[in-house]
Amino acid sequence: LGFTTSYELVPGVAINSVMQVKYLFSLDEVNATPTRTEQVKQARNILSLEMPLRASYCYKVGDVGMFVYAGPVFEIGLINNQVTPADSDDPKIVSYYGDDSPMKRYDMRMGGGVGLTYKNFLLKGGYDFGLLDRSNHEDVSFHTRGLKVGLGYTF
């Protein structure tokens, strides 16, 4: 979920700033311990605030437009935890952010994409790749990557 503002510099060329909330949730059945086959429900919650700043070029013919965009994305992780068992009154909650955690809370990515507009509707798709290592461990490297698809309405 997000809101985009666009500032046209010259006809067809714009700077786009976005503020969007990213929420990912998964619920899986996992083994209770590595040596036991008993299954328990495990939930994963990730909530972050993303702030892409993109440059774009749009070519319009009538009501239809085609555009390309590129630029950096800044992200602040708010919640990243694992709850086991998810359906318990006394679950174990492990946070992936914090002083002794495996991940860094901040990220920066570079990305780009393409899209189509028709009247006030837009459809876009793109890819972002991580520039920062988000791992807090010296022997492990973790760079965020993501394929994104968006559908929007312009005012």
Side-chain angles (χ1 to χ4, degrees):
L1 176 65
F3 297 96
T4 304
T5 57
S6 185
Y7 306 100
E8 191 170 56
L9 303 174
V10 296
V13 177
I15 297 293
N16 309 291
S17 61
V18 178
M19 182 71 68
Q20 58 194 29
V21 175
K22 178 174 75 173
Y23 178 68
L24 304 171
F25 173 80
S26 67
L27 183 62
D28 299 310
E29 296 267 340
V30 297
N31 288 347
T33 65
T35 57
R36 293 175 46 200
T37 58
E38 174 189 341
Q39 297 281 300
V40 296
K41 288 185 179 177
Q42 181 179 72
R44 183 77 188 267
N45 299 289
I46 301 172
L47 178 67
S48 61
L49 184 63
E50 291 185 332
M51 297 154 284
L53 181 61
R54 311 284 198 182
S56 66
Y57 174 74
C58 184
Y59 178 75
K60 285 194 170 192
V61 178
D63 290 337
V64 178
M66 297 183 307
F67 64 91
V68 296
Y69 64 89
V73 179
F74 306 96
E75 181 177 340
I76 300 170
L78 303 173
I79 298 170
N80 189 344
N81 62 29
Q82 179 175 302
V83 180
T84 309
D87 53 359
S88 168
D89 290 336
D90 188 28
K92 179 181 177 187
I93 300 173
V94 176
S95 178
Y96 287 86
Y97 296 144
D99 295 334
D100 297 326
S101 65
M103 289 182 66
K104 296 175 184 166
R105 188 176 297 273
Y106 303 99
D107 192 17
M108 187 168 114
R109 299 183 299 276
M110 184 60 74
V114 297
L116 294 171
T117 62
Y118 176 71
K119 295 186 179 181
N120 289 10
F121 294 94
L122 70 90
L123 175 66
K124 65 180 181 175
Y127 186 79
D128 294 336
F129 58 92
L131 300 175
L132 299 178
D133 183 1
R134 293 193 73 181
S135 175
N136 275 335
H137 300 290
E138 291 181 19
D139 299 337
V140 178
S141 179
F142 175 65
H143 294 267
T144 307
R145 294 175 180 87
L147 179 64
K148 297 184 176 186
V149 176
L151 178 63
Y153 184 81
T154 60
F155 297 96

